[in-house]
Amino acid sequence: MNENLSFYSLYSKYKNLDFSTYFKKVNDDEIINSFNKRSLNPDNLLALLSVKAENYIETMAQKAKDLSLQHFGRAILLYTPLYLSNYCINECLYCGFNSKVKFKRKKLSLEEVEKEATFIAKTGLQHILILTGESEQITPLSYIKECIQLLKKYFTSISIEIFPLKTNEYKELVALGVDGLTIYQEVYDEKIYSQVHLKGPKKDYAHRLDTAQRAGDAKMRTINIGALLGLGDWRKEAFFMLLHAKYLQDLYPEIEISVSLPRLRPQVKNFKAISKVSDKNIVQIITAARIFLPRLGITLSTRENSSLRDNLLPLGITKISAGSTTAVGGHINSKEKDVQFEIADQRDVATIRRMLLAKGYQPVLKDWVGV
Amino acid sequence: MKDSLTLAGKEINNRLFIGTGKFPSKEILKKVLAQAQSEVVTVALRRIDLESKEDNILDFIPKNCQILTNTSGARTAKEAIRIARLAKACGCGDWIKLEVISDNKYLLPDNLETIEATKVLASEGFKIFAYMSPDLSVAKKLIQVKATAIMPLGSPIGSKRGVKTKELVKILIKEIDAPIIVDAGIGYPSEAAECMELGCSAVLVNTAIATAKDPVEMAVSFDLAVKAGRLACRNVNQETSEFAKASSPLTGFLRDE
């Protein structure tokens, strides 16, 4: 990676900005001007994320819908997560896999991976996202590679959401057939980041921040970033996440960049969201994202309930998960209770497909061919 | 009166080509193709799932349609070549809409990589329909390396901005001895008619049909517009001069000696 080039320098430019004072100054003209422009700058994005912009939420939604139709049409890609292991050496206060949480840890054997894969493949899904906690000892890269080799028999597209790797390791995975990386910064606010990540390699803010770029240098085909909404002030977090997305789009025009907007779900007792994020807030983030970056992918997971997910679809969602579980081995054994977080939309793939068609969207199960 | 277009030895009677990527459902796509009577249909190999019993897009395309497989997702000539070969091996035929895009922001094609891929694929017998940013020298090179047709963009994919590259497309029509098919950017039937009136051999439309309130009606209206434009092309006196005429000639002083 080019050491001189990092999103951190752009983050630093804005990190001391007094967001609440800035937002108070935003006036109606600036908001209207922002959603009418063809090419938006960071100030325009701030205007769209301001408190006052909530008065324009319907106009923003209409604009976002038009832009989404224009750029993505009426097709939505489906995928499902496959958890390989929940062993983790990190202590992240908000996560069910926190190393301090006592429960019987599990790692899938290759036979078990194959069973899960067979089950998922039967639903027709061709895109899969594999996940692990961070434990180089128990789930080393060699184990993940074995799983990938096996999963290639069942799926067209394999994305990973695992611990951050080095550029050459990403290159190895790309060569093996991995085409997507999901990596959430979780929280862009550095102070909060250090407060919620107590121990483990994940504590290194800058290393995590540059992960997307290391994968980009390794020529990963798609990169999905995200902020765990609720950990910090969501307006600020959404701003940095979208600025990060733009930074990556500009740096790697050949890579498809997308974002996720996960809201904190109950998974750990005694951990409460620092900031509340309402449904209206989610709508504002999605519409601002679409208007700011018209070709950005937006992924919506089953953390959100079915009725909200259905309503958010036309605003700019390009990819949704279906038939999800956040438990290791959870596709085969749906009673598995040791989950990373609780999911709110329990619908299976067939139900999601029917819902999409009824709403005028084509469920896309395959949108890649390994070359 | 018959006015067919011959592409790679095949007679095509409908000059509206339809892209399949953005439709609300495969059933609607099927109706659109039936109503518009399109004969050439592009499908991205990345979307084709041959193993799926209920979800194979090819099952929704009438058998008499010519499939033009596109290489969507290819970022380099090398990737496009692999996708084209794979398409052929999958039984999708050898008509390829060559799309090499290394820019996800504007989805603009990479002309140099496109020439490179055309050279290799055409020599292997593929019929190459090269999607490109309109440029005369690139088009000439594409023809030299045996492209079947040139597909200049009207404006970026999905932008529905119309034929912003009109002047460049007109030059291609005039100078290139191969079918010119405008692909991308056509948002309204009137723009499709205009392309045909200028002398394009065909047009390719996806977003404008797929995202219309009623895609079937929109497809029919595009079909009519393409037919109207084609008829006009055959009957208007085309030439308004493309060449500059200087108002004060520099050689006016020359006398016969």
PDB file of all heavy atoms in Angstrom, chain B residues 32-47:
ATOM      1  N   VAL B  32     -42.121  -8.184 -22.840  1.00  0.00           N
ATOM      2  CA  VAL B  32     -41.524  -7.076 -23.592  1.00  0.00           C
ATOM      3  C   VAL B  32     -40.970  -7.584 -24.921  1.00  0.00           C
ATOM      4  O   VAL B  32     -41.221  -7.018 -25.988  1.00  0.00           O
ATOM      5  CB  VAL B  32     -40.399  -6.418 -22.750  1.00  0.00           C
ATOM      6  CG1 VAL B  32     -39.438  -5.623 -23.615  1.00  0.00           C
ATOM      7  CG2 VAL B  32     -41.013  -5.509 -21.685  1.00  0.00           C
ATOM      8  N   LEU B  33     -40.229  -8.685 -24.854  1.00  0.00           N
ATOM      9  CA  LEU B  33     -39.591  -9.198 -26.068  1.00  0.00           C
ATOM     10  C   LEU B  33     -40.640  -9.675 -27.074  1.00  0.00           C
ATOM     11  O   LEU B  33     -40.504  -9.479 -28.281  1.00  0.00           O
ATOM     12  CB  LEU B  33     -38.613 -10.324 -25.735  1.00  0.00           C
ATOM     13  CG  LEU B  33     -37.421  -9.892 -24.867  1.00  0.00           C
ATOM     14  CD1 LEU B  33     -36.554 -11.092 -24.515  1.00  0.00           C
ATOM     15  CD2 LEU B  33     -36.590  -8.821 -25.561  1.00  0.00           C
ATOM     16  N   ALA B  34     -41.714 -10.252 -26.540  1.00  0.00           N
ATOM     17  CA  ALA B  34     -42.770 -10.734 -27.428  1.00  0.00           C
ATOM     18  C   ALA B  34     -43.480  -9.568 -28.107  1.00  0.00           C
ATOM     19  O   ALA B  34     -43.691  -9.572 -29.321  1.00  0.00           O
ATOM     20  CB  ALA B  34     -43.773 -11.568 -26.629  1.00  0.00           C
ATOM     21  N   GLN B  35     -43.812  -8.543 -27.327  1.00  0.00           N
ATOM     22  CA  GLN B  35     -44.553  -7.405 -27.874  1.00  0.00           C
ATOM     23  C   GLN B  35     -43.718  -6.575 -28.837  1.00  0.00           C
ATOM     24  O   GLN B  35     -44.208  -6.117 -29.860  1.00  0.00           O
ATOM     25  CB  GLN B  35     -45.058  -6.508 -26.735  1.00  0.00           C
ATOM     26  CG  GLN B  35     -46.249  -7.069 -25.989  1.00  0.00           C
ATOM     27  CD  GLN B  35     -47.489  -7.126 -26.874  1.00  0.00           C
ATOM     28  OE1 GLN B  35     -47.743  -6.216 -27.645  1.00  0.00           O
ATOM     29  NE2 GLN B  35     -48.242  -8.209 -26.773  1.00  0.00           N
ATOM     30  N   ALA B  36     -42.459  -6.336 -28.474  1.00  0.00           N
ATOM     31  CA  ALA B  36     -41.623  -5.468 -29.315  1.00  0.00           C
ATOM     32  C   ALA B  36     -41.041  -6.237 -30.501  1.00  0.00           C
ATOM     33  O   ALA B  36     -40.474  -5.644 -31.404  1.00  0.00           O
ATOM     34  CB  ALA B  36     -40.513  -4.855 -28.483  1.00  0.00           C
ATOM     35  N   GLN B  37     -41.189  -7.548 -30.457  1.00  0.00           N
ATOM     36  CA  GLN B  37     -40.661  -8.421 -31.509  1.00  0.00           C
ATOM     37  C   GLN B  37     -39.185  -8.187 -31.784  1.00  0.00           C
ATOM     38  O   GLN B  37     -38.733  -8.164 -32.937  1.00  0.00           O
ATOM     39  CB  GLN B  37     -41.479  -8.264 -32.782  1.00  0.00           C
ATOM     40  CG  GLN B  37     -42.906  -8.726 -32.564  1.00  0.00           C
ATOM     41  CD  GLN B  37     -43.717  -8.695 -33.833  1.00  0.00           C
ATOM     42  OE1 GLN B  37     -43.590  -7.778 -34.638  1.00  0.00           O
ATOM     43  NE2 GLN B  37     -44.532  -9.707 -34.018  1.00  0.00           N
ATOM     44  N   SER B  38     -38.463  -7.962 -30.711  1.00  0.00           N
ATOM     45  CA  SER B  38     -37.018  -7.760 -30.836  1.00  0.00           C
ATOM     46  C   SER B  38     -36.368  -9.073 -31.253  1.00  0.00           C
ATOM     47  O   SER B  38     -36.818 -10.143 -30.863  1.00  0.00           O
ATOM     48  CB  SER B  38     -36.466  -7.316 -29.491  1.00  0.00           C
ATOM     49  OG  SER B  38     -35.757  -6.137 -29.649  1.00  0.00           O
ATOM     50  N   GLU B  39     -35.312  -8.957 -32.024  1.00  0.00           N
ATOM     51  CA  GLU B  39     -34.645 -10.179 -32.497  1.00  0.00           C
ATOM     52  C   GLU B  39     -33.244 -10.346 -31.940  1.00  0.00           C
ATOM     53  O   GLU B  39     -32.658 -11.417 -32.026  1.00  0.00           O
ATOM     54  CB  GLU B  39     -34.597 -10.172 -34.029  1.00  0.00           C
ATOM     55  CG  GLU B  39     -35.970 -10.329 -34.643  1.00  0.00           C
ATOM     56  CD  GLU B  39     -35.935 -10.243 -36.161  1.00  0.00           C
ATOM     57  OE1 GLU B  39     -34.882 -10.503 -36.754  1.00  0.00           O
ATOM     58  OE2 GLU B  39     -36.980  -9.888 -36.738  1.00  0.00           O
ATOM     59  N   VAL B  40     -32.701  -9.242 -31.417  1.00  0.00           N
ATOM     60  CA  VAL B  40     -31.366  -9.333 -30.811  1.00  0.00           C
ATOM     61  C   VAL B  40     -31.465  -8.852 -29.368  1.00  0.00           C
ATOM     62  O   VAL B  40     -31.974  -7.767 -29.087  1.00  0.00           O
ATOM     63  CB  VAL B  40     -30.326  -8.490 -31.580  1.00  0.00           C
ATOM     64  CG1 VAL B  40     -28.953  -8.619 -30.925  1.00  0.00           C
ATOM     65  CG2 VAL B  40     -30.255  -8.927 -33.038  1.00  0.00           C
ATOM     66  N   VAL B  41     -30.990  -9.690 -28.446  1.00  0.00           N
ATOM     67  CA  VAL B  41     -31.147  -9.426 -27.028  1.00  0.00           C
ATOM     68  C   VAL B  41     -29.800  -9.602 -26.337  1.00  0.00           C
ATOM     69  O   VAL B  41     -29.145 -10.622 -26.529  1.00  0.00           O
ATOM     70  CB  VAL B  41     -32.173 -10.428 -26.446  1.00  0.00           C
ATOM     71  CG1 VAL B  41     -32.288 -10.280 -24.944  1.00  0.00           C
ATOM     72  CG2 VAL B  41     -33.532 -10.242 -27.104  1.00  0.00           C
ATOM     73  N   THR B  42     -29.393  -8.595 -25.557  1.00  0.00           N
ATOM     74  CA  THR B  42     -28.121  -8.774 -24.845  1.00  0.00           C
ATOM     75  C   THR B  42     -28.387  -9.337 -23.449  1.00  0.00           C
ATOM     76  O   THR B  42     -29.337  -8.944 -22.772  1.00  0.00           O
ATOM     77  CB  THR B  42     -27.337  -7.456 -24.688  1.00  0.00           C
ATOM     78  OG1 THR B  42     -28.121  -6.537 -23.930  1.00  0.00           O
ATOM     79  CG2 THR B  42     -26.989  -6.855 -26.015  1.00  0.00           C
ATOM     80  N   VAL B  43     -27.524 -10.238 -23.032  1.00  0.00           N
ATOM     81  CA  VAL B  43     -27.595 -10.825 -21.697  1.00  0.00           C
ATOM     82  C   VAL B  43     -26.179 -10.875 -21.140  1.00  0.00           C
ATOM     83  O   VAL B  43     -25.250 -11.274 -21.842  1.00  0.00           O
ATOM     84  CB  VAL B  43     -28.131 -12.281 -21.742  1.00  0.00           C
ATOM     85  CG1 VAL B  43     -28.313 -12.813 -20.334  1.00  0.00           C
ATOM     86  CG2 VAL B  43     -29.440 -12.368 -22.498  1.00  0.00           C
ATOM     87  N   ALA B  44     -26.030 -10.459 -19.893  1.00  0.00           N
ATOM     88  CA  ALA B  44     -24.704 -10.525 -19.269  1.00  0.00           C
ATOM     89  C   ALA B  44     -24.439 -11.953 -18.827  1.00  0.00           C
ATOM     90  O   ALA B  44     -25.288 -12.556 -18.173  1.00  0.00           O
ATOM     91  CB  ALA B  44     -24.637  -9.590 -18.075  1.00  0.00           C
ATOM     92  N   LEU B  45     -23.268 -12.464 -19.176  1.00  0.00           N
ATOM     93  CA  LEU B  45     -22.948 -13.832 -18.761  1.00  0.00           C
ATOM     94  C   LEU B  45     -23.012 -13.954 -17.237  1.00  0.00           C
ATOM     95  O   LEU B  45     -23.431 -14.976 -16.699  1.00  0.00           O
ATOM     96  CB  LEU B  45     -21.549 -14.242 -19.261  1.00  0.00           C
ATOM     97  CG  LEU B  45     -21.208 -15.696 -18.945  1.00  0.00           C
ATOM     98  CD1 LEU B  45     -22.061 -16.651 -19.759  1.00  0.00           C
ATOM     99  CD2 LEU B  45     -19.738 -15.994 -19.134  1.00  0.00           C
ATOM    100  N   ARG B  46     -22.635 -12.874 -16.536  1.00  0.00           N
ATOM    101  CA  ARG B  46     -22.625 -12.935 -15.070  1.00  0.00           C
ATOM    102  C   ARG B  46     -24.016 -13.189 -14.498  1.00  0.00           C
ATOM    103  O   ARG B  46     -24.160 -13.648 -13.365  1.00  0.00           O
ATOM    104  CB  ARG B  46     -22.023 -11.651 -14.484  1.00  0.00           C
ATOM    105  CG  ARG B  46     -22.807 -10.405 -14.844  1.00  0.00           C
ATOM    106  CD  ARG B  46     -22.005  -9.149 -14.568  1.00  0.00           C
ATOM    107  NE  ARG B  46     -22.077  -8.772 -13.163  1.00  0.00           N
ATOM    108  CZ  ARG B  46     -21.471  -7.692 -12.661  1.00  0.00           C
ATOM    109  NH1 ARG B  46     -20.736  -6.926 -13.446  1.00  0.00           N
ATOM    110  NH2 ARG B  46     -21.567  -7.398 -11.398  1.00  0.00           N
ATOM    111  N   ARG B  47     -25.056 -12.897 -15.287  1.00  0.00           N
ATOM    112  CA  ARG B  47     -26.423 -13.111 -14.794  1.00  0.00           C
ATOM    113  C   ARG B  47     -27.011 -14.457 -15.242  1.00  0.00           C
ATOM    114  O   ARG B  47     -28.104 -14.809 -14.851  1.00  0.00           O
ATOM    115  CB  ARG B  47     -27.336 -11.991 -15.316  1.00  0.00           C
ATOM    116  CG  ARG B  47     -27.128 -10.638 -14.674  1.00  0.00           C
ATOM    117  CD  ARG B  47     -27.947 -10.508 -13.396  1.00  0.00           C
ATOM    118  NE  ARG B  47     -27.730  -9.224 -12.748  1.00  0.00           N
ATOM    119  CZ  ARG B  47     -28.471  -8.142 -12.952  1.00  0.00           C
ATOM    120  NH1 ARG B  47     -29.485  -8.187 -13.785  1.00  0.00           N
ATOM    121  NH2 ARG B  47     -28.213  -7.023 -12.322  1.00  0.00           N
TER     122      ARG B  47
END
